[in-house]
Amino acid sequence: MRILQSGKVEFFRGNFISARKKLYPFAEQGNADAQHIIGLIMQDIDQDFLEAVKWFKCAADQGHSHAQFDLGMIYRFGLGVPRDEKEAVKWFKRAADQSHVHARHELSYCCRGIRQSDSRQLCLRKAQKPVKN
């Protein structure tokens, strides 16, 4: 576990090569935090959005709210994948259900474009759900 923690520290210090080297084995073993950070490195440093999607999806499927939010952003803006508002909303909803504040904001923004009033109201209720402390 010390290596996992050390990899996280390296990432937040901006030592991305060292962070990748330390975290990659944990990501491959299914650690959601490591998968999310590897996804961030792939997205922001390598600009490899397809690889980022792969790692974000692994973490998001385990309930990692930040990875869910990041997937929503990738699909919302079509970063390396076709732009897909429905897929973005799906991931924003999952993150918002876990009280991810930024996901709620993005969900609220996405819902402005939904024309069917029932779907729009559902989106807005999810986005305005109180944050748990």
Side-chain angles (χ1 to χ4, degrees):
M1 278 304 187
R2 294 185 109 206
I3 295 173
L4 174 63
Q5 195 59 32
S6 173
K8 289 179 183 180
V9 169
E10 292 295 320
F11 173 77
F12 290 111
R13 287 185 177 162
N15 300 325
F16 304 116
I17 293 171
S18 177
R20 181 194 330 248
K21 185 176 181 179
K22 291 178 180 180
L23 293 174
Y24 203 86
F26 291 98
E28 287 183 319
Q29 293 170 12
N31 182 284
D33 285 337
Q35 291 169 337
H36 179 243
I37 293 172
I38 293 295
L40 290 172
I41 292 170
M42 295 298 174
Q43 174 184 281
D44 297 336
I45 306 305
D46 296 351
Q47 298 287 298
D48 185 344
F49 294 102
L50 291 178
E51 193 69 10
V53 167
K54 174 186 124 180
W55 287 109
F56 287 152
K57 184 142 179 25
C58 288
D61 286 342
Q62 295 182 65
H64 196 286
S65 66
H66 296 297
Q68 292 166 339
F69 171 76
D70 290 331
L71 270 176
M73 294 299 284
I74 282 177
Y75 283 106
R76 180 165 179 243
F77 293 105
L79 302 172
V81 298
R83 189 168 181 218
D84 187 338
E85 196 81 10
K86 286 183 181 179
E87 190 71 11
V89 167
K90 175 182 101 173
W91 290 110
F92 289 145
K93 281 183 184 177
R94 290 184 183 181
D97 283 345
Q98 297 183 69
S99 301
H100 192 289
V101 175
H102 298 296
R104 288 187 178 167
H105 171 78
E106 292 299 327
L107 186 58
S108 175
Y109 185 80
C110 288
C111 288
R112 291 180 189 156
I114 295 175
R115 297 200 188 339
Q116 297 171 338
S117 61
D118 289 343
S119 296
R120 185 173 191 280
Q121 290 304 316
L122 175 64
C123 278
L124 291 175
R125 277 197 305 275
K126 281 231 190 244
Q128 294 168 353
K129 184 176 161 186
V131 176
K132 297 174 188 170
N133 289 331

